[in-house]
Amino acid sequence: MSSGGQLPAEQPSGDSVLSAGARIAMQWRDLGADQLGAALRAMEPELRREHRERMMHLELRREAEQRQHEDRQQQRADRRHTVEVAVGAVIALAMLGGGVYVAPESWWLSVLLCGPSLLAIAKVFVLGRSDPEDMKSMSMAARTATNAAGQAQPPQSPPVL
């Protein structure tokens, strides 16, 4: 034992750069093998407890970092969805406004802008998916409107006086 009645491991160490194992080895270098073995066996439960505490602390930190990462991903997904809904709404309103604006001159163009294509575009931006049925209905509406426009009589111009 060292002076002061303390075990070498209990003595304060001014050298914080050395690892705990190196400090213990330096403090206990004068002890015999039997005394060193007994001291290490006595320290083992405390070292195990400190190790468990360090491992729990590291696990808690890892879980907190994982939660922060998941929260950031969720915020990005929410922000992206909000932008997609806003863009879809703007495009849908623009198509609807354009369809109403051109309706008196060319009804077939109004059908193209306000028909199934409007719903398909809104579905793509808001829900983020497009089904083959949407494309079929959109192409059928476009074909029907184009055929009707081709068969329609051009508007008569007013007589010149």
Side-chain angles (χ1 to χ4, degrees):
M1 294 226 170
S2 65
S3 63
Q6 290 182 328
L7 287 174
E10 296 174 346
Q11 291 178 348
S13 173
D15 194 342
S16 62
V17 174
L18 294 175
S19 69
R23 282 196 312 263
I24 291 171
M26 286 179 61
Q27 292 172 350
W28 290 1
R29 66 179 171 233
D30 297 332
L31 295 177
D34 292 339
Q35 292 172 331
L36 184 58
L40 289 175
R41 281 190 297 279
M43 282 182 53
E44 185 176 2
E46 181 179 342
L47 292 174
R48 286 182 188 267
R49 186 177 64 248
E50 289 175 0
H51 177 72
R52 276 194 306 269
E53 288 174 2
R54 272 194 304 269
M55 290 295 108
M56 285 171 50
H57 182 330
L58 288 174
E59 180 65 21
L60 290 174
R61 184 185 310 164
R62 188 193 64 77
E63 289 174 359
E65 289 173 356
Q66 180 68 28
R67 280 192 303 272
Q68 287 176 348
H69 177 70
E70 290 170 357
D71 289 344
R72 284 192 306 268
Q73 282 183 330
Q74 184 63 38
Q75 287 174 348
R76 282 189 212 117
D78 291 344
R79 207 174 307 129
R80 180 176 178 223
H81 181 68
T82 302
V83 168
E84 288 173 350
V85 168
V87 168
V90 167
I91 290 175
L93 288 174
M95 288 177 71
L96 191 60
V100 170
Y101 181 74
V102 298
E105 290 87 30
S106 54
W107 61 270
W108 61 272
L109 184 56
S110 178
V111 168
L112 288 176
L113 289 173
C114 296
S117 59
L118 173 66
L119 297 174
I121 294 288
K123 186 176 181 181
V124 166
F125 279 101
V126 174
L127 298 179
R129 69 169 202 240
S130 176
D131 298 327
E133 293 82 29
D134 295 337
M135 293 299 123
K136 287 179 186 175
S137 64
M138 196 166 64
S139 66
M140 278 183 37
R143 203 172 310 119
T144 304
T146 305
N147 288 341
Q151 293 174 357
Q153 297 288 331
Q156 295 180 2
S157 58
V160 179
L161 295 174

